[in-house]
Amino acid sequence: MRKLTNKLKEITPLLLWNFYRSLYYGIIEIIQNIGPSVRTRCYCGIKLYYNKNNAIIKRLKKEMIFEKKMCDIVVKELINKQKGDNEMMFLDIGANIGLVSAYVISRMPQITIHAFEPGLNQREFLVKTVENNSLKNIHVHSEALGDKVGVATFYAHDAKYAAFDGFKDTKRRGRTKAVEVSVNSLDSWWVSAGKPNVPVVKIDTEGAELLVLTGAEKFINEVKPTIFLEIESSNLKAYPYDEFKIVEWFSGHKYNLFTLDGIMVDRENINKLIGSEDVYIARPEILLI
């Protein structure tokens, strides 16, 4: 198909090619906007709610499960840390419409999940999924997590690209609208929740991961959870720190950072890895054999 397209481009005058190209994408845009704005699909045995043209849902055309490699390791980590009949808990920070939470709870139905999502659009769909599937052990929090408690400016995209919302406009997708959101720290939430034992945490906050970690030092020092997090250089450009600072933070808190394939990450190789890897695992040094 690509060869045919290139051949047609070679023999078609440029102005005419650009006209047909614009017409083609215009028709695609119209087709995509036909139908209800609220969509559903079966995902991991759960009726998942989402908005039409959702960029993350489009990823599912290529990968049946969103971030399946990470999700499988998250579940394995939770199972390995389960002790008897004790309640298991998982934190999904930057939960979006709930793809990671849906996968985890489909594999571990008795687990308690606290899903944090300050983005209004994606949180509304997450709440619909939780309520309409009677997922009573998924608790949705509307506050953002950061390095301090209060309010902050939050940059919201249109519904199509809501997955890119965050404390900074990373310029990765379209225009944004500045709104105000409530911010809590993980330390503050953890204390108010009664200091539960949370063995696994996932953080995907479009570049604000270091702020979440900074606001979670007490929790991390006492509980020593396994932490899955995104480190995406194109997001970090909008923040006053880079991937080296994140590596240094973990080193200073006696954590080792790894790729999902188990390669240890340090200042020497992070630049080589960050182009091909965007999800990492941080484990306390005491767990190393």
Side-chain angles (χ1 to χ4, degrees):
M1 185 65 181
R2 180 171 291 183
K3 289 182 179 179
L4 178 60
T5 301
N6 290 336
K7 187 64 177 178
L8 288 172
K9 188 175 181 180
E10 288 176 7
I11 63 177
T12 306
L14 181 61
L15 287 176
L16 190 58
W17 174 263
N18 287 338
F19 169 75
Y20 282 125
R21 187 171 182 272
S22 298
L23 181 62
Y24 171 78
Y25 284 109
I27 292 171
I28 293 296
E29 185 73 20
I30 291 171
I31 292 172
Q32 288 178 338
N33 282 289
I34 294 174
S37 59
V38 178
R39 309 286 175 91
T40 63
R41 67 182 292 159
C42 182
Y43 185 78
C44 300
I46 291 169
K47 187 176 183 181
L48 183 80
Y49 287 77
Y50 63 95
N51 56 287
K52 65 182 177 183
N53 298 329
N54 186 294
I56 287 187
I57 293 297
K58 288 184 177 181
R59 280 183 56 173
L60 300 182
K61 293 179 180 179
K62 295 182 179 179
E63 49 181 319
M64 295 296 292
I65 301 296
F66 177 74
E67 298 284 6
K68 186 176 187 301
K69 189 173 185 178
M70 180 197 74
C71 288
D72 282 339
I73 300 173
V74 166
V75 170
K76 183 178 180 180
E77 199 80 16
L78 285 164
I79 291 172
N80 288 341
K81 293 191 175 189
Q82 193 164 17
K83 297 178 181 179
D85 295 327
N86 292 341
E87 180 184 19
M88 288 293 287
M89 190 175 291
F90 171 65
L91 302 188
D92 187 356
I93 302 171
N96 202 267
I97 59 173
L99 293 172
V100 174
S101 286
Y103 184 84
V104 171
I105 208 160
S106 73
R107 297 286 301 276
M108 303 183 72
Q110 302 306 316
I111 196 168
T112 296
I113 297 177
H114 288 275
F116 295 84
E117 181 48 65
L120 177 60
N121 176 78
Q122 52 273 48
R123 187 177 68 251
E124 286 183 345
F125 288 104
L126 173 57
V127 169
K128 281 180 180 290
T129 296
V130 169
E131 292 180 347
N132 292 322
N133 289 276
S134 298
L135 300 174
K136 296 180 180 180
N137 44 343
I138 296 182
H139 306 278
V140 181
H141 302 267
S142 62
E143 58 200 359
L145 291 183
D147 59 341
K148 54 189 175 183
V149 179
V151 295
T153 301
F154 190 78
Y155 292 88
H157 295 72
D158 63 36
K160 181 178 181 179
Y161 295 120
F164 297 91
D165 292 357
F167 286 139
K168 301 286 186 182
D169 183 356
T170 61
K171 310 294 184 184
R172 291 180 65 194
R173 291 292 190 282
R175 291 177 294 181
T176 59
K177 179 182 179 181
V179 297
E180 193 174 83
V181 297
S182 297
V183 183
N184 202 358
S185 70
L186 185 48
D187 278 345
S188 176
W189 174 84
W190 179 64
V191 170
S192 66
K195 295 187 176 183
N197 180 31
V198 184
V200 181
V201 177
K202 171 232 133 187
I203 309 172
D204 183 354
T205 51
E206 300 304 299
E209 289 78 14
L210 186 56
L211 298 181
V212 177
L213 292 169
T214 302
E217 292 191 353
K218 181 179 177 62
F219 159 70
I220 290 171
N221 288 337
E222 291 192 26
V223 178
K224 294 181 170 49
T226 298
I227 302 169
F228 292 78
L229 77 159
E230 181 182 67
I231 304 178
E232 172 61 69
S233 58
S234 56
N235 286 333
L236 295 176
K237 290 176 183 177
Y239 286 82
Y241 50 79
D242 56 20
E243 57 268 26
F244 296 107
K245 289 292 184 182
I246 297 176
V247 172
E248 289 173 2
W249 190 93
F250 279 116
S251 178
H253 289 75
K254 299 187 184 304
Y255 263 73
N256 288 107
L257 194 63
F258 301 88
T259 66
L260 294 181
D261 290 323
I263 300 171
M264 187 176 285
V265 181
D266 56 29
R267 286 187 59 89
E268 302 302 318
N269 65 0
I270 183 64
N271 266 347
K272 295 178 182 178
L273 294 167
I274 202 167
S276 57
E277 307 279 346
D278 59 3
V279 180
Y280 297 82
I281 311 172
R283 290 192 173 96
E285 289 179 0
I286 58 171
L287 295 186
L288 292 179
I289 299 175

